[in-house]
Every structure is written in C-alpha cells, then in structure tokens.
Amino acid sequence: MKILIKNGTVIIDGCRRIENGAVLVDDQKIVGVYKDYQNIDCDRAIDVQNHYIMPGFIETHTHGDLGFDFNNCQMSDIYKISDALLDEGVTCFMASLTCENHEYMLNLLDEYEKCNVHNLLGVHLEGPFLSQEMPGVMKIESLMLPQIDIFDEYLQHCSKIKSMTIAPELDHALELIQHGHNKGIVMNIGHSNASASQVMEAQSYGAKGITHLYNAMSQHLHRNPGVVTGAFLSDLYCELIVDKFHIHEDVIQATYRAIGKNRIVLICDANPCKGLKDGIYEFSGKEIEIIDGKARVKETGRIAGSTLRLNQACRHMREICGCSMEDVVQMVTVNPAQMYGLNKGKIEVGYDGDIVVVNDQFDVLAVVNDGEIQKMSL
C-alpha cells in the first residue's frame, strides 16, 4: 500500500528539513520525498496538519516494558513491548539483557535466536564482563573476567547478538573488544572503572560507544580522569539518559556543548517496570521501589534504570539544551542507525519505511512502521 504522509515539516536527518513537505512509503520502503506533492499517486494520504514528519525513533538500550523483562519474559510478550514502544515513536529496538549465570544466559539466548518480532533489532549483552567496582544493579555473582571462548559460545547460541557492554580495564578485555569488533559486534564501554587512557586504547581496538554515559563508571576528575574524560577525548558514541534524574540538567547541557549532537545517542535504559504505576517490583534479582516514576533499589537507594519514554527524552533534550528538531533527530535516529549500520534513521529514498509524526512537544500523533500505519491520533 502506498502511504503519503503530507503537509508537515519533514525532518530528513540531523541537518535538513523540508517545510510543507511529504513522504511516500510503499512496500516497506521510502520511495519519495517531496516539496511539491500535488498529484502523487497513493492508496492512503495522511494529512499531518503542519506537524513534524521524522524518521522512526531507534531505542538501542532498554530492558523491558509494562512489567515484561527481556531476561525472563515469554517471547510472545515481546510483541506487547514492541506495540507499547510504538506509542512513544520507537519503530525498532534492542533487547538489553542483564547478567545471569552462564547456563541461564545460554538458554535465554536460545530463545532469542527463535524470536521473530520484526521490530527487534537484536540483543545487547550488558555484561557479564563488567567491573565489580561499578556493577550498578547487575548481579555481582554473575560477573566474570573476559573470556573469548564464552563470548563465542554466546554467538553460537544466538546470531541476533548485536552489541556488548564491557569494562576495558579488565584482563584480556582489549583482545575481546578486538575479537568482537572483527565479528561485527558493536563493543561498548560501560560498568567500568577504566582510566581515560584505557578508554582511548579500547577505541583503538575497536570499541564504538559508551554505555549510559556518567552512570556506573569512573568520572571526570582533574587528577584521576576516568571513563567520562575518555568519552570527551574519544570519537565514541555516547548513550545518554535524559530523564532529569540520572544526570543533572547542567551536566546534560555541558555534554551537549562538549561532544555535540553527532556523538550523543538518546536512550531510556528503561527497567521492565516502565509503564506501571508506582510500587515495589523486582529487577535483576533486586527489589526496586518506584516513587514518582523514579526507580531505586529499595535496600541501597541505588538508581535502578528509568521509566522514561524515548519521546520524553527528546522533549527533555530540547528543553534543556535549546537544540533544534534536527539536532534531536540526529541523536535519536541518525546516530544509532549509523552506530549499528542500519538502513534507517533518515527520510531518504530507499530507507526503511519507518516514520513518526510528532508535535513540537514530541507527542506522538502517528506512526508508520515497516510501511504500515500502526498508530494514528490526527
């Protein structure tokens, strides 16, 4: 079906826009981008009433939704997560898995190998090769030193593995980063007590990004520069949780000024309780309490992921930094698509037919996903 999304400001990518433009989607692909869209042949036209037409949002780091945890939910529940994410403009996502014991993880990866949810980009392994000094909410008993044979065993069980978070200061981590990079896996630095120089060395071995910058890592200290300093010095992509809770607004603004829109990747790092009311829940083997949408481990008070929606992260970024709509699109679609080598993230002929329509507050008004209308409130 040919769908024409018209009469809106088309944000093509992080630099370009077309005022009063239109986009034509057919057979799951973008087949036309127009300034003059009169007499365009289509089966369905969506008049977006002068709102914004953008590429579908890409969520590369989330642990679940609506009480469904990627570590233990049924594969059929991932359809429910996928549908819920459409409400926030997310047209594709990664399933981030927290650390488990080896046998459990292999069985879990076997399940993901059989998963055929079309919006699922793949699996992100957040560990187990992480620093015991920076575990966050990870199960410390499941952390281990990097081992290439274990990593290869993961890949043998699941071809859908697309990324891994690893602490580069650990013994044999650099060899594993290089090994993973050469196999096409995006290797990200996180849950790490590395120095800035170790971050730079990891980049030279093939590391591509920083997992949730500032959280669960060594900081930017003037006599002891850590992962955060390394992020500033490097060319790595940097995930950012912009929920006004994980990171102070001044630091978000400083980060935007320091590293710019071309390296920030907006994420939610949502815990599985996102979308549920305040209360007591379980995540990564710990009892967490959500109060006013803020999640903490009940016993320690440690932050336990977010309940953030990705369209909210976009709105917050614009409010805090005063950046343009194009800048936000760069951070929520272009950068993650480039990072993971996806045919997505821009409104260009030949790109996947994932389109989201939003107002200036990033409220989602319509979603065209994989060439089909999935959400409509215009």
Side-chain angles (χ1 to χ4, degrees), residues 244-255 320:
K244 302 185 178 183
F245 177 49
H246 276 75
I247 311 167
H248 193 280
E249 293 181 34
D250 289 346
V251 175
I252 292 169
Q253 189 172 35
T255 305
I320 294 168

Side-chain angles (χ1 to χ4, degrees), residues 14 25 39-41 50 96 121 172 219 226 268 271 312 338 377:
V25 175
N39 303 316
I40 301 297
D41 178 53
N50 298 312
S96 292
L121 293 172
H172 306 296
Q219 297 297 303
C268 291
N271 64 54
Q312 290 176 329
Q338 290 177 343
S377 60

Side-chain angles (χ1 to χ4, degrees), residues 223-273:
R223 292 195 182 94
N224 189 25
V227 174
V228 174
T229 312
F232 293 160
L233 293 173
S234 74
D235 298 318
L236 299 170
Y237 288 103
C238 297
E239 293 182 351
L240 212 60
I241 309 170
V242 187
D243 62 353
K244 302 185 178 183
F245 177 49
H246 276 75
I247 311 167
H248 193 280
E249 293 181 34
D250 289 346
V251 175
I252 292 169
Q253 189 172 35
T255 305
Y256 173 71
R257 292 185 181 184
I259 70 175
K261 68 177 184 179
N262 292 329
R263 291 205 288 126
I264 293 173
V265 175
L266 296 181
I267 61 161
C268 291
D269 189 17
N271 64 54
C273 312

Side-chain angles (χ1 to χ4, degrees), residues 167-182:
E169 73 276 16
L170 301 179
D171 290 345
H172 306 296
L174 294 177
E175 297 97 309
L176 182 52
I177 289 170
Q178 181 171 264
H179 180 73
H181 171 71
N182 288 336

Side-chain angles (χ1 to χ4, degrees), residues 11-148:
I11 307 297
I12 295 173
D13 52 26
C15 302
R16 299 172 292 163
R17 68 166 62 190
I18 299 174
E19 301 289 352
N20 190 29
V23 181
L24 184 65
V25 175
D26 184 29
D27 192 25
Q28 303 178 350
K29 298 292 183 182
I30 296 170
V31 296
V33 183
Y34 306 96
K35 173 62 177 176
D36 179 4
Y37 51 85
Q38 304 303 316
N39 303 316
I40 301 297
D41 178 53
C42 66
D43 300 302
R44 174 80 182 273
I46 303 173
D47 186 338
V48 307
Q49 303 166 28
N50 298 312
H51 292 301
Y52 293 93
I53 303 168
M54 298 179 170
F57 301 161
I58 301 171
E59 171 64 277
T60 58
H61 191 157
T62 183
H63 294 277
D65 207 334
L66 301 174
F68 301 117
D69 188 331
F70 284 132
N71 271 57
N72 56 37
C73 68
Q74 299 295 313
M75 291 298 105
S76 59
D77 293 329
I78 298 179
Y79 286 100
K80 300 172 186 176
I81 295 173
S82 179
D83 191 55
L85 288 172
L86 289 172
D87 290 336
E88 54 195 84
V90 173
T91 53
C92 58
F93 60 93
M94 302 278 285
S96 292
L97 306 181
T98 56
C99 302
E100 302 284 359
N101 70 59
H102 187 59
E103 182 177 358
Y104 185 99
M105 183 58 71
L106 293 181
N107 290 332
L108 184 58
L109 291 174
D110 286 338
E111 292 300 309
Y112 276 98
E113 180 65 16
K114 297 179 288 186
C115 183
N116 58 4
V117 177
H118 79 275
N119 279 352
L120 178 66
L121 293 172
V123 171
H124 160 221
L125 296 176
E126 196 167 1
F129 311 128
L130 308 176
S131 169
Q132 295 205 8
E133 298 171 298
M134 299 289 178
V137 296
M138 297 295 168
K139 297 175 181 177
I140 293 181
E141 65 273 16
S142 296
L143 302 183
M144 63 179 75
L145 291 174
Q147 299 177 55
I148 287 178

Side-chain angles (χ1 to χ4, degrees), residues 161-172:
I161 295 172
K162 301 300 180 186
S163 68
M164 169 176 272
T165 296
I166 184 171
E169 73 276 16
L170 301 179
D171 290 345
H172 306 296

